[in-house]
Amino acid sequence: MCGIVGYIGAQQAAPLLIEGLARLEHRGYDSAGLAVVGSSGLRTAKRAGRVRDLSDALPKRFGGKIGIGHTRWATHGPANDVNAHPHVDAAERVAVVHNGIIDNAAALRAELADAGVELVSDTDTEVLAHLIAASTATTLETRVAEALGRIDGTYGIAVTHADFPDRIVVARNGSPLIIGVGDKEMHIASDLAALVRYTTTVAHLDDGEMATVTAAGFTTYRLEPTGLAATDRRAKEVEIDPAAYEAGEHDSFMHKELLEQPARAEAVLRGRTDERFGTGHLGGLNLDARELRAIRRVKILGCGSAYYVGQMGASLIEELARIPADAEAASEFRYRNPIIEPDTLYVAVSQSGETIDTLLAVQEVRRKGGFCIGLVNVVGSAIAREVDGGIYLHAGPEVAVASTKALTNMFLAFGLLSVQLGRVRDLSIADGKRLIAGLERIPGQIEDILATEPALADVAKRLSAAESLFFVGRVRGFPVAREGAQKFKEISYRHAEAYQTSELKHGPLALISTEVPTVAIVPDDELVERNVAALHEISARGGPLTVITHPSVDLGDLADRAERIDVPRNERELDPILLTIPLQVLA
C-alpha cells in the first residue's frame, strides 16, 4: 500500500511531492513525509495522518529542488510521526524512503545498536539510512549498493544525500519503481498515477536494478556481487490518458471504475471472438492448436481478487475444455517446492502486473522449465515481461485498490481462453457459438445491473448496520461469494467470511444469528433447489438474508423474509461474473 514519489529539476520539490503523494492516497496509508535537499542541507517533515496534515505542517521555508516523499502503511511499529518515512541517519545527511520488507532488519538493528548507533524508530527501513551513512565509498551509488548487499527482503527505495545534492539514487527488488522523464527534470514514483500529470515517458526498473537520477536524465545498473554493472534501460512513451487518473465527478475512483465496466468489457472482447467457428482468438498465447491440445492441466496463480477470479476461471476451463484446472494463492505456491509439469499451462493473474508474490511464483515456474502465460492489465509490467505469452486485459488504468473492471475483464479473458481450449478438443461448434454470443451480451447486461444502483444502495444501507457478514455460494457461486466477502472487507473494513453453502451444516450454521446477515449467491442452475433449501436453514435460525439470484428462481415462502437482488441471466457457465457486479456496488 505504501507509495513513493521523487523529483529533481528546476522547480521547488515540496509542492510537487505533496501533489504526487495526494495522487497515491487511494492506495491507503497512515502517515506521510518528505525530505528535500536545498541550500541549508537535508530537511525532513513527517506526520501521522493524511497528506493534507503533512502539507499544513510544512515549514514556510522548506526549499529544495530535489526531494523524495512517501505514504506509509504501518508494518514495523505503529503509525506515528517518528515511524513515518523518510528515515535519516544520526547526522541527518541521508534520507531514505522504502516500500517492501527487510527480513533481516532485527539482526541489522542489533548490529547497529552494538556499534553505538541510536535507532529512533521501530521500522525496518531506518537501518538502510544508517548503513548508507556508515559507508566510506566515494560515490552515493556504491554506498547504496553496499547497504543493499547487507539486506534480505524486498524493496523499492529512493535515497537522497546532502553530500550529493545533484542526484537521487533508486533501486528495486520486488516493489515497483518508475522513472518519469521530463524537460530538464525527472520524476520518480511507485505508481504511474503520481507521474501522468507531468510525463508519459517512463522507464520501469527491473528487480535487482539501480538507477542514478539527475535533472538531465538517468543511468541504470545491475546490482552484481562484484559491484555495479551498467545496463541500457531506456524510457518509453506509454499510451495513457491522464484523465483516466482523475476521479472527475465521482466521489471515488472505485465508483468511477465500476461505471466504466461495460465499455472496458467490450474492449477486452474486441477482435478476440470468432463467431463463425465459435471460438476465441488469442494470438498472444504464443501457442498453436497442436500445443493447446497437448495441455493436460491448467494451474492458475493469483492473489486476493485475482485468486478468486482464478477459481472462476478454473471452473470455466474444466467445464468447457474438460481439462483438470485449479487456482492457488500465488503467495503460497513457491514455498511448497511445487512440481512443475511440462504439459501444464500455468496462468499468472495480476491487474498491475507487479504483484510480487505472483511474480515470484512465475519465476519459480519458469526456473523449473514450465510454460506460463499472464493475464495482466499493464503493458510492460514485470509479469508481462517475465511470462511466455499472455492476454492483455484492456481495462484501462485501475486506480482503486479494490479491483472491479480489471476483475471483470479477467473473467472475460478466462471465458475466451476456455472456449479456445475447448474448441481444439471436444466442445461442439454449437456450444462454442452459444458461449461466444453469451460473452458478447455481458457488457450490456453489466450496464443493466449498474442501472439498479439506487436500489442496491438501499440494501447496502441496511447491511451496513452489521459488524459481520456471511457470504455463501456453491460450485460456480462459491468464488463469487469469496470475492464478495473480499470486497466488503477491503472497502467497509467490516468482518466478512465466505463459505460453501454445502458446508453450512458442518459448523458455520452455529454462528448464524439475527445480528449476522447472510448474502447468498443463488443462480438458476442445477443446484438451485439445494441452495434454496440451505436458505431455509439460515432463516430458521433468524439470520437475515440477502439473495443475489435470477428472476426465474422461486424462493417460495422465503420471498417475504429475504431481500432479493435479481441479475440478468446469461449462459450458466458465464453467470458468475454478472452475479459479482452487485457485490461490487454493495461494497
Side-chain angles (χ1 to χ4, degrees):
M1 293 287 192
C2 305
I4 288 174
V5 295
Y7 173 80
I8 181 169
Q11 302 184 64
Q12 288 297 314
L16 296 172
L17 297 175
I18 287 289
E19 183 175 349
L21 293 179
R23 287 176 170 268
L24 297 179
E25 286 189 293
H26 63 277
R27 301 202 62 79
Y29 67 102
D30 48 43
S31 59
L34 305 178
V36 297
V37 178
S39 57
S40 56
L42 175 70
R43 301 180 68 192
T44 61
K46 310 194 292 183
R47 284 291 182 275
R50 313 310 291 172
V51 170
R52 62 177 175 270
D53 299 324
L54 171 66
S55 180
D56 292 343
L58 285 180
K60 291 189 180 301
R61 295 181 180 177
F62 197 69
K65 297 179 181 180
I66 172 173
I68 55 178
H70 192 265
T71 52
R72 174 180 185 252
W73 187 268
T75 55
H76 294 70
N80 57 37
D81 292 356
V82 174
N83 288 332
H85 295 213
H87 288 285
V88 299
D89 67 310
E92 297 189 9
R93 307 293 291 172
V94 178
V96 179
V97 293
H98 166 227
N99 291 348
I101 298 288
I102 299 175
D103 296 329
N104 61 335
L108 291 171
R109 286 175 66 90
E111 179 184 318
L112 288 165
D114 289 344
V117 174
E118 182 182 357
L119 294 149
V120 299
S121 78
D122 304 307
T123 69
D124 55 342
T125 303
E126 187 185 352
V127 301
L128 273 172
H130 294 296
L131 290 172
I132 293 166
S135 173
T136 58
T138 57
T139 68
L140 180 56
E141 292 79 2
T142 304
R143 295 183 188 192
V144 174
E146 288 177 355
L148 293 176
R150 299 289 313 281
I151 73 168
D152 299 322
T154 59
Y155 55 80
I157 65 165
V159 181
T160 58
H161 196 305
D163 297 343
F164 302 90
D166 65 337
R167 65 194 55 206
I168 302 172
V169 171
V170 297
R172 168 194 168 136
N173 184 46
S175 191
L177 209 61
I178 307 166
I179 300 169
V181 179
D183 182 12
K184 297 180 182 178
E185 63 181 15
M186 301 289 287
H187 301 265
I188 296 159
S190 55
D191 190 302
L192 275 172
L195 294 178
V196 291
R197 181 172 179 183
Y198 310 110
T199 180
T200 55
T201 304
V202 301
H204 294 258
L205 292 189
D206 277 339
D207 283 347
E209 201 165 25
M210 174 190 286
T212 301
V213 183
T214 69
F218 68 95
T219 307
T220 56
Y221 317 89
R222 292 292 303 175
L223 290 161
E224 304 284 359
T226 55
L228 294 173
T231 60
D232 190 27
R233 175 75 51 203
R234 298 189 182 185
K236 296 180 180 179
E237 188 73 20
V238 290
E239 294 183 6
I240 293 177
D241 178 6
Y245 288 90
E246 302 287 349
E249 62 186 15
H250 303 279
D251 57 6
S252 72
F253 279 103
M254 183 176 175
H255 187 254
K256 173 178 180 281
E257 290 159 9
L258 273 170
L259 299 181
E260 290 173 350
Q261 288 184 102
R264 301 327 303 168
E266 288 179 353
V268 75
L269 295 172
R270 191 173 298 126
R272 288 171 162 172
T273 59
D274 185 332
E275 296 176 8
R276 179 184 177 192
F277 292 104
T279 188
H281 181 69
L282 297 169
L285 298 179
N286 297 328
L287 293 166
D288 60 26
R290 179 184 56 81
E291 291 168 320
L292 289 171
R293 281 196 302 273
I295 295 167
R296 293 291 173 264
R297 185 181 302 276
V298 178
K299 167 73 76 173
I300 300 168
L301 303 167
C303 296
S305 291
Y307 167 40
Y308 302 140
V309 79
Q311 290 185 311
M312 298 181 202
S315 177
L316 273 172
I317 291 167
E318 286 205 338
E319 280 197 83
L320 303 182
R322 305 307 298 154
I323 304 172
D326 70 305
E328 181 173 348
S331 53
E332 295 289 311
F333 177 74
R334 68 191 178 98
Y335 292 108
R336 60 176 183 79
N337 192 21
I339 298 168
I340 303 302
E341 299 168 307
D343 54 2
T344 295
L345 175 66
Y346 295 87
V347 184
V349 189
S350 168
Q351 187 283 130
S352 67
E354 300 285 352
T355 310
I356 181 59
D357 287 316
T358 308
L359 176 61
L360 292 172
V362 171
Q363 292 171 344
E364 177 76 358
V365 169
R366 301 201 68 216
R367 184 180 68 81
K368 293 181 174 180
F371 188 92
C372 189
I373 66 170
L375 266 65
V376 298
N377 194 39
V378 180
V379 175
S381 58
I383 292 173
R385 297 195 303 271
E386 188 77 32
V387 292
D388 299 289
I391 308 170
Y392 278 116
L393 299 176
H394 296 292
E398 188 167 71
V399 178
V401 174
S403 186
T404 52
K405 60 180 181 174
L407 179 136
T408 296
N409 282 20
M410 289 170 187
F411 180 91
L412 296 175
F414 275 122
L416 292 166
L417 176 62
S418 302
V419 173
Q420 188 164 338
L421 285 171
R423 288 292 289 124
V424 299
R425 286 175 171 74
D426 299 323
L427 187 70
S428 70
I429 190 169
D431 275 335
K433 289 183 174 182
R434 172 178 65 85
L435 291 158
I436 291 297
L439 286 167
E440 292 179 340
R441 289 198 304 274
I442 284 175
Q445 291 178 310
I446 293 174
E447 193 163 13
D448 292 341
I449 296 169
L450 293 173
T452 68
E453 183 179 348
L456 292 171
D458 290 338
V459 177
K461 197 171 296 184
R462 289 186 284 274
L463 288 177
S464 68
E467 291 298 320
S468 184
L469 295 99
F470 279 157
F471 291 76
V472 298
R474 63 185 302 169
V475 189
R476 300 182 198 94
F478 179 52
V480 177
R482 296 191 78 181
E483 170 59 14
Q486 171 90 347
K487 282 291 176 285
F488 269 77
K489 285 181 277 194
E490 285 184 298
I491 303 304
S492 70
Y493 290 80
R494 302 294 177 92
H495 173 258
E497 291 295 331
Y499 293 97
Q500 292 103 329
T501 309
S502 54
E503 283 292 297
L504 279 172
K505 59 182 176 293
H506 298 296
L509 270 176
L511 297 177
I512 295 293
S513 73
T514 56
E515 286 78 36
V516 182
T518 297
V519 179
I521 312 302
V522 184
D524 190 0
D525 60 13
E526 67 276 14
L527 295 170
V528 64
E529 292 181 359
R530 290 180 177 271
N531 277 324
V532 172
L535 300 189
H536 280 89
E537 296 181 46
I538 295 169
S539 182
R541 288 161 176 78
L545 276 168
T546 297
V547 185
I548 299 179
T549 187
H550 292 129
S552 52
V553 170
D554 181 6
L555 296 180
D557 60 2
L558 287 175
D560 296 330
R561 290 176 275 161
E563 287 194 295
R564 178 178 184 136
I565 297 170
D566 283 331
V567 301
R569 280 213 63 180
N570 198 294
E571 304 303 324
R572 66 181 185 181
E573 299 94 339
L574 304 177
D575 280 332
I577 195 59
L578 295 173
L579 294 163
T580 302
I581 304 299
L583 297 174
Q584 298 174 346
V585 181
L586 288 174

